[in-house]
């Protein structure tokens, strides 16, 4: 297993996992499969491309993205010390193995190092 910040080169894997998540756990997300299946390559790349205020972290089994979570820092001057975690999902074939905990732990440690919240 490899955990890393995903980028534009991971857009196809991200979209595949995201659409799976929206199908099997639709009640856990604010969006819908019907909406996001229409997203263009550019929209997905813009969503997942890291910047100083957000990043998406993925866990891979070989080259397959099997889990994802994102971090978004508040942008207001008085709120930059705050952040939110969104979109946590582990593919159902890998659930119950502690991978979600590992992914979340890795994300939090990365946030502590690079964002200084």
């Amino acid at each position: 297993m490899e955990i890393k910040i995903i980028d534009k080169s991971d857009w196809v894997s991200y979209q595949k996992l995201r659409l799976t998540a929206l199908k099997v756990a639709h009640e856990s997300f604010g969006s819908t499969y019907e909406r996001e299946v229409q997203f263009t390559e550019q929209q997905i790349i813009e969503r997942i491309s890291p910047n100083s205020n957000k990043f998406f972290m993925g866990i891979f089994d070989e080259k397959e993205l099997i889990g994802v979570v994102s971090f978004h820092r508040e942008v207001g001057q008085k709120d930059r010390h705050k952040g939110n975690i969104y979109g946590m999902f582990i593919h159902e074939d890998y659930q119950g193995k502690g991978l979600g905990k590992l992914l979340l732990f890795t994300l939090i440690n990365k946030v502590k190092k690079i964002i200084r919240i």
Side-chain angles (χ1 to χ4, degrees):
M1 299 287 169
E2 176 189 14
I3 296 178
K4 68 174 189 159
I5 293 176
I6 63 175
D7 60 28
K8 65 182 181 179
S9 68
D10 299 306
W11 82 269
V12 172
S13 296
Y14 169 81
Q15 184 66 346
K16 179 182 172 188
L17 184 64
R18 176 70 176 178
L19 293 176
T20 297
L22 292 171
K23 280 183 184 177
V24 302
H26 56 88
E27 68 283 350
S28 299
F29 298 95
S31 189
T32 65
Y33 175 88
E34 293 76 19
R35 176 177 175 260
E36 293 198 20
V37 74
Q38 298 178 42
F39 283 6
T40 65
E41 174 183 345
Q42 188 59 37
Q43 286 174 301
I44 299 161
I45 289 172
E46 286 175 16
R47 171 186 269 185
I48 67 171
S49 292
N51 63 38
S52 61
N53 293 315
K54 67 145 170 102
F55 64 88
F56 285 70
M57 185 165 277
I59 185 166
F60 293 79
D61 183 7
E62 300 289 325
K63 295 185 184 265
E64 182 182 2
L65 181 63
I66 60 163
V68 69
V69 64
S70 67
F71 174 81
H72 301 259
R73 179 165 59 174
E74 297 291 329
V75 295
Q77 182 179 359
K78 292 186 176 187
D79 293 322
R80 291 189 56 77
H81 65 286
K82 299 176 188 176
N84 296 290
I85 295 171
Y86 293 106
M88 176 76 177
F89 181 75
I90 301 294
H91 190 282
E92 60 191 345
D93 292 345
Y94 294 86
Q95 292 177 6
K97 299 179 181 184
L99 298 176
K101 182 178 180 179
L102 178 62
L103 182 58
L104 197 54
F105 181 77
T106 305
L107 177 129
I108 291 168
N109 282 332
K110 179 66 84 175
V111 168
K112 287 178 181 179
K113 290 177 184 173
I114 64 173
I115 306 292
R116 293 194 176 100
I117 290 186

